[in-house]
Amino acid sequence: MNRNSKGSIIRPDPLPESASRPVVTPLSPSVVYASDTPDALDDQYEGRVHGYTYSREGHPNADVVAKRLDAMEGVQGGWVTGSGMAAVTAALLGILKAGDHVIGGNQLYGRSLRMMKEDLPRLGIATSLADPGDVAAVAAHIRPETRMILVEVVSNPTLRVADIDGLAELCRERGILFAVDNTFTTPRAFRPFDHGADIVIHSITKLLAGHSDVMLGYVVAREPALNERLRVFSVTTGLTPSPFDCWLAERGMLSFDLRFDRAQSTAIALADHLSGLSGVKRVLYPTRDDHPDRTRGDALLKGQGCNMVSFELEGGRAAANAFTRAAEGLSFAPTLGDVGTTLSHPASSSHRALTAEERRELAISEGFFRVSVGLEDPEKLKEVFELAVSEAMSA
Ligand SMILES: *Cc1c(COP(=O)(O)O)cnc(C)c1O
């Protein structure tokens, strides 16, 4: 019998009895979980039965999301964190120690780059950055104390494709952990564990939750002992997510496959359309014929791609600003993966802090845009872009 039903006044059993159960996962905001007896608590702590104690250590809504992602990535025991950056933090700080060296892709997500350049060195962890599309360039940075390589599959915002298979082989040969941030590609397009990854990271905030109303991350290691370190580190440092965010994310993930497929096919159609417009200098999509990494993109993504398209307008900043003003109905916002199409201008937002020379090296000009394609009617979206490009060119 439930202890509460014996007469606790302030906290009686919260749920009325029911022979049926809800179809939707209940939201479980409780921070603490009470045990019926001391023996039951012992059983729980000793791992004889599963139960929750204190929600920083785990709660049902997080576990539901983690299990979904585990199934998608083909792994077990993944851990949901309060943001994508919390997952990156767990993967780096939960495993590395002072004296270690880590190599990051040179086009990692902005905050991951910052962690490589500022935070890890401050803690005594040496870092290097290298082009993840060039295995020899990455190998040239390896030192005896190199412990991990962290890359993204498709880079932001120039959509270059990393040589995942080559890097996995390099890591295997040299005994280095291979961590892959799979946010852009998602397990629908790419499963890093099938390609030799040791650790997979996600920002659930983006496509997986998909509605720009949740911040969450996910981290998992293939090796159970390593995975346990990630879990303990996350619990200790409080990277735990909120139950409500997890509840919302689960709701978003129910439609993830459909949303991804739709956004991807629209992205491909939009890329084709943009490439035919006068005033558009170049269009970037990983599986287009004119993409520099086309062959690798095909081999890794096997016909899948992503919902991201980047393109460059003629006419520099003035034309870019005119385009943004004319692009009606598109959110001008530096995020991705929302149900609505969002437009970002890296030179003035995500890559603003870089010098002009650094931007030139990445081929991010004043006319460069990154589009996160959403779920709009593809024909309508093409019209909006076409009109905005023509207004930008006549401005
Ligand atoms: C957004 C993003 C992150 C960080 O995720 P947050 O949920 O914003 O903390 C990490 N990696 C990639 C590739 C991202 O796009």
Side-chain angles (χ1 to χ4, degrees), residues 280-333:
V280 174
K281 240 193 248 176
R282 64 176 178 139
V283 175
L284 289 170
Y285 189 81
T287 53
R288 272 179 68 81
D289 282 340
D290 55 3
H291 190 281
D293 304 325
R294 162 88 208 229
T295 313
R296 194 185 294 144
D298 280 345
L300 280 183
L301 305 175
K302 301 207 167 61
Q304 298 285 339
C306 58
N307 77 316
M308 308 298 289
V309 178
S310 293
F311 68 97
E312 191 178 355
L313 276 183
E314 285 163 11
R317 186 61 159 272
N321 285 355
F323 173 82
T324 305
R325 277 193 292 269
E328 213 166 310
L330 308 183
S331 304
F332 183 51

Side-chain angles (χ1 to χ4, degrees), residues 83-85 109 152 181 183-184 203 205-206 215-216 336:
S83 70
M85 280 317 299
Y109 179 70
E152 290 165 22
D181 180 336
T183 299
F184 257 55
S203 168
T205 312
K206 310 293 170 50
M215 296 217 86
L216 284 180
L336 64 110

Side-chain angles (χ1 to χ4, degrees), residues 20 24 91 101 121 127 129 140 170-171 186 209 214 216 263 291 312 321:
S20 51
V24 174
H101 172 244
T127 63
L129 299 172
L170 178 69
C171 286
T186 81
V214 168
L216 284 180
H291 190 281
E312 191 178 355
N321 285 355

Side-chain angles (χ1 to χ4, degrees), residues 81-88 107-112 152-154 156 181-184 201-206 214-217 334-336 370:
T81 56
S83 70
M85 280 317 299
V88 173
Q107 284 201 58
L108 287 174
Y109 179 70
R111 288 280 160 192
S112 302
E152 290 165 22
V153 185
V154 172
N156 173 30
D181 180 336
N182 199 27
T183 299
F184 257 55
I201 296 164
H202 278 283
S203 168
I204 296 176
T205 312
K206 310 293 170 50
V214 168
M215 296 217 86
L216 284 180
T335 186
L336 64 110
R370 186 198 75 178

Side-chain angles (χ1 to χ4, degrees), residues 340-353:
T341 296
T342 52
L343 192 65
S344 106
H345 182 250
S348 66
S349 59
S350 55
H351 293 64
R352 192 186 187 100

